[in-house]
Amino acid sequence: MNKQSEIRDLAIIGDRRTAALVASDGAIVWYCPGRFDRPSLFAALLDPAKGGAWTLDLPAARLARRDYIEDSGVLETRFELGQGELTVTDWMSTGDTAARGICRVFSPPPQPVAMRVQPAPGYASGEASLHPVAGGVCIDGRHWLYASHPLVATDGTIRLELPAGQDGWAILIDAPLETPDSSLLQVWRDATLAEWREIASQVKYHGPFERQVAQSLRALRLLTYAPNGGIIAAATTSLPEISGGARNYDYRYVWMRDAGMIVSALVRAGSHGPDERRFLEFICGSKQEDPAKPLLPPFLSLDLEPAPDVTRLDLGGYAGSRPVRIGNGANRQLQLDGFGNVLLAAKLIYGRHETREHWETVRQIADFLAAHWHEPDYGIWEEHEARQYTVGKVIVSCGLRYIADFAEDASQAEKWRAAAKDVESYVAAHCINSEGAYAAFAGAETVDISAALFPAWGYVSADSAEMLATVRVLERDYARGDLYWRHLEELGRFEEGAFLAGTLWLAQYWILRSDLPRARKMLETALEYATDLGFFAEEADPGSRTMLGNFPQTFVHASFIGAVIDYRQALIEAARPSPEPS
């Protein structure tokens, strides 16, 4: 039985088609061959007993250091072993010449090292079929494992021993090879690093938190599906928002809600344009032509189709958190904030690149919102009951107002601006609670952390009476220290983990209020709940100091980048000399 890996111990490797999670002991505990949302071959992360893993037997080893080579997705992990060290280099090859899969290279260890590969295909739904082939082992006729030293396959496990003083390698790929050797892996490694250098060259950020921003950009890149530009919310499914609880969802899809945040992060970090423009292309390419269906679903599979309905898997769950789900049951909800985020993303790209690409779809989204903004929806947190959620109204108003600047004619622009004003009037009349704060939804007394974004979106000034009241309520009712919780009608306060993006949104708020020391403290608090490699999960438990929720979470990484960019700009402005009095 494999041990349970902590989320904090995970690193990610990937080829911008799929990804694998590598624990700090060298075990690969999650891997879905072919594509992020395909069935797993290793799922020990969700069931250490039967989920399958690729493990290294390193008794008494100590993790000395791990990091990525340059700005790539090539991971190096160094272990201290007895009288010496072992370095493991893990990556997934990219480029036209490489077979798809996982590559592992081992430096000469000071003592023998045993390796076990326990495949569990189809989310561990059946036993793997193992057959010897020339130089390796074939798994289920679909995957091939080759290594520098002899492989022995028995009882559903493939074993290898790396002798002391000898370097080695192993590859798990999706096509057979005749005579793989270390020189081939070197070619693949060099090609992969070259491609990552090209990808990383598209954004060059310099300023405060430079290393952490680079790490967050790596997370966004690793979760980008290169064939069409979709950026998934996370690489995993069913990592719990409540440890031992049932709030376990599949995040291996592309959310409309994330579009504005991710595009904003890339544009404002100085991107040359490819990733964010392809992301917008992906979203606009999902437009439904059937008039009986919503114009855009709230989130998409990487096939540009609505995500599949939920299926429950017979897995034990992370730390016993069940059910384990694939698919997502919110795929037919109306989520106005998703549409609004697409308009914000388009506005940012249009303004940066002086273009109006995908205009016909963007126009249809704006027309849809102008006609349907008044309808109840399921909100940014996809609750089970439709309501008049304030955040959806606000981002619709902002999106319509911004996209009107790119309208084809005056009447089109006036229609969208008039709808935006109607939304503002509705919010003012129905979405302010008895304390003068923005309510979570019309008629509610509760507030939600998403309101912290209203000044960043330009909806209202940070020092308006409504925002001052909202922040007072958030600090009183939804905060512990510098960590904040979101409001969920279907869940008691503080039951789930602290919502890390919320702390980052409050940091942006205090930047707009010119309280830079407070903002920096909040950024540093969020970073306490990142891994040693800078990856964020969705949530954190401040009591146990553990990470919760799916991983890595692109929404949080984009929020971090956005907050840091605002912080850098505020520092620049604060350093400018005051104008001489006239």
Side-chain angles (χ1 to χ4, degrees):
M1 178 175 177
N2 300 307
K3 72 174 185 178
Q4 176 73 67
S5 297
E6 296 289 333
I7 297 173
R8 187 180 285 278
D9 292 337
L10 300 175
I12 180 172
I13 57 173
D15 59 2
R16 288 165 57 90
R17 285 168 173 78
T18 189
L21 297 183
V22 186
S24 58
D25 62 359
I28 296 177
V29 296
W30 179 254
Y31 174 47
C32 300
R35 207 172 77 176
F36 295 108
D37 57 347
R38 294 271 166 81
S40 65
L41 187 65
F42 302 136
L45 183 63
L46 296 177
D47 193 324
K50 70 174 186 178
W54 183 341
T55 59
L56 307 177
D57 186 10
L58 303 173
R62 188 182 75 84
L63 175 65
R65 182 177 179 274
R66 61 177 180 172
D67 206 350
Y68 291 91
I69 298 175
E70 303 169 11
D71 282 332
S72 76
V74 180
L75 177 70
E76 283 191 338
T77 306
R78 191 172 77 241
F79 299 98
E80 292 182 356
L81 286 175
Q83 300 304 308
E85 292 185 342
L86 168 68
T87 298
V88 182
T89 305
D90 291 317
W91 78 92
M92 296 182 69
S93 291
T94 60
D96 294 336
T97 59
R100 298 288 170 189
I102 298 171
C103 301
R104 315 197 78 177
V105 173
F106 309 94
S107 69
Q111 62 199 51
V113 171
M115 180 180 76
R116 289 184 304 153
V117 179
Q118 297 170 292
Y123 302 110
S125 59
E127 294 186 5
S129 172
L130 306 179
H131 297 288
V133 294
V137 175
C138 178
I139 303 169
D140 277 4
R142 292 181 291 175
H143 314 288
W144 285 261
L145 181 69
Y146 299 99
S148 55
H149 293 74
L151 296 169
V152 178
T154 57
D155 300 325
T157 300
I158 308 167
R159 293 176 173 84
L160 173 148
E161 184 169 289
L162 183 63
Q166 296 185 20
D167 58 13
W169 55 267
I171 54 176
L172 176 63
I173 55 175
D174 61 2
L177 295 174
E178 288 188 9
T179 54
D181 56 21
S182 60
S183 64
L184 177 63
L185 265 74
Q186 186 63 47
V187 170
W188 288 0
R189 179 182 177 275
D190 291 345
T192 299
L193 286 172
E195 184 159 324
W196 275 104
R197 289 187 193 107
E198 173 60 26
I199 294 166
S201 71
Q202 295 165 8
V203 181
K204 291 297 182 184
Y205 167 83
H206 298 289
F209 300 102
E210 190 166 315
R211 178 175 63 87
Q212 293 89 343
V213 168
Q215 291 170 330
S216 283
L217 288 168
R218 177 187 289 116
L220 296 182
R221 293 166 182 149
L222 279 164
L223 296 176
T224 298
Y225 186 59
N228 58 25
I231 301 176
I232 61 172
T236 58
T237 179
S238 300
L239 294 186
E241 296 169 9
I242 301 172
S243 185
R247 289 185 61 82
N248 318 317
Y249 304 111
D250 193 348
Y251 274 16
R252 297 171 299 159
Y253 304 111
V254 182
W255 261 259
M256 302 297 112
R257 174 199 63 203
D258 297 358
M261 193 74 68
I262 292 173
V263 168
S264 174
L266 292 171
V267 168
R268 297 173 65 232
S271 171
H272 297 166
D275 282 344
E276 64 267 29
R277 294 175 81 170
R278 291 203 71 209
F279 191 25
L280 181 63
E281 180 180 9
F282 175 90
I283 290 169
C284 291
S286 70
K287 183 180 69 174
Q288 304 291 308
E289 300 298 340
D290 185 347
K293 295 181 179 179
L295 184 64
L296 294 175
F299 49 90
L300 300 158
S301 73
L302 291 168
D303 290 321
L304 291 166
E305 296 290 338
D309 288 331
V310 171
T311 299
R312 296 190 177 194
L313 301 177
D314 185 23
L315 292 171
Y318 178 85
S321 304
R322 302 186 70 182
V324 174
R325 298 178 172 99
I326 56 173
N328 198 300
N331 56 7
R332 294 185 181 87
Q333 290 183 350
L334 173 64
Q335 295 176 14
L336 292 173
D337 60 278
F339 290 92
N341 262 292
V342 176
L343 294 187
L344 291 189
K347 173 256 184 185
L348 288 163
I349 290 171
Y350 293 175
R352 175 67 178 269
H353 300 290
E354 298 182 355
T355 180
R356 272 199 328 188
E357 54 209 79
H358 313 296
W359 175 252
E360 179 58 22
T361 300
V362 170
R363 178 196 65 75
Q364 289 180 17
I365 292 171
D367 284 343
F368 174 85
L369 290 177
H372 296 276
W373 67 263
H374 59 280
E375 295 182 11
D377 74 324
Y378 290 86
I380 192 170
W381 310 133
E382 299 166 357
E383 301 232 45
H384 294 157
E385 183 178 338
R387 296 182 175 90
Q388 301 286 4
Y389 287 98
T390 305
V391 63
K393 308 302 182 192
V394 167
I395 197 169
V396 164
S397 174
C398 294
L400 287 171
R401 181 157 40 87
Y402 289 140
I403 211 65
D405 293 340
F406 301 93
E408 296 165 303
D409 54 55
S411 63
Q412 189 179 65
E414 179 53 35
K415 177 176 68 174
W416 295 339
R417 291 187 179 116
K421 290 179 181 177
D422 289 342
V423 176
E424 293 167 17
S425 297
Y426 179 89
V427 170
H430 301 284
C431 299
I432 306 296
N433 72 6
S434 63
E435 296 183 78
Y438 286 109
F441 52 88
E445 284 298 313
T446 52
V447 302
D448 181 61
I449 192 66
S450 57
L453 287 168
F454 295 177
W457 288 337
Y459 182 79
V460 67
S461 66
D463 59 357
S464 68
E466 294 86 354
M467 283 306 306
L468 294 176
T470 300
V471 172
R472 279 197 302 271
V473 176
L474 288 171
E475 291 178 338
R476 183 190 71 205
D477 296 343
Y478 294 91
R480 289 179 178 171
D482 287 321
L483 292 174
Y484 288 79
W485 276 252
R486 58 184 174 174
H487 177 79
L488 295 173
E489 278 291 298
E490 60 199 49
L491 197 66
R493 200 171 300 171
F494 300 120
E495 282 190 39
E496 66 169 359
F499 188 65
L500 288 176
T503 283
L504 298 167
W505 298 344
L506 261 294
Q508 281 186 286
Y509 171 81
W510 288 112
I511 291 165
L512 292 171
R513 291 283 305 277
S514 300
D515 192 339
L516 300 190
R518 185 169 188 173
R520 184 180 183 94
K521 183 171 180 289
M522 299 178 85
L523 289 168
E524 290 170 344
T525 296
L527 287 169
E528 291 177 11
Y529 294 91
T531 71
D532 59 314
L533 297 169
F535 294 117
F536 291 108
E538 184 178 14
E539 299 178 359
D541 181 348
S544 63
R545 309 291 295 177
T546 56
M547 300 170 69
L548 295 169
N550 283 303
F551 177 90
Q553 174 67 244
T554 52
F555 196 51
V556 183
H557 284 286
S559 298
F560 176 76
I561 294 169
V564 171
I565 298 298
D566 283 350
Y567 179 70
R568 179 184 66 173
Q569 185 59 36
L571 288 174
I572 293 170
E573 292 174 0
R576 288 177 181 152
S578 301
E580 295 291 332
S582 55

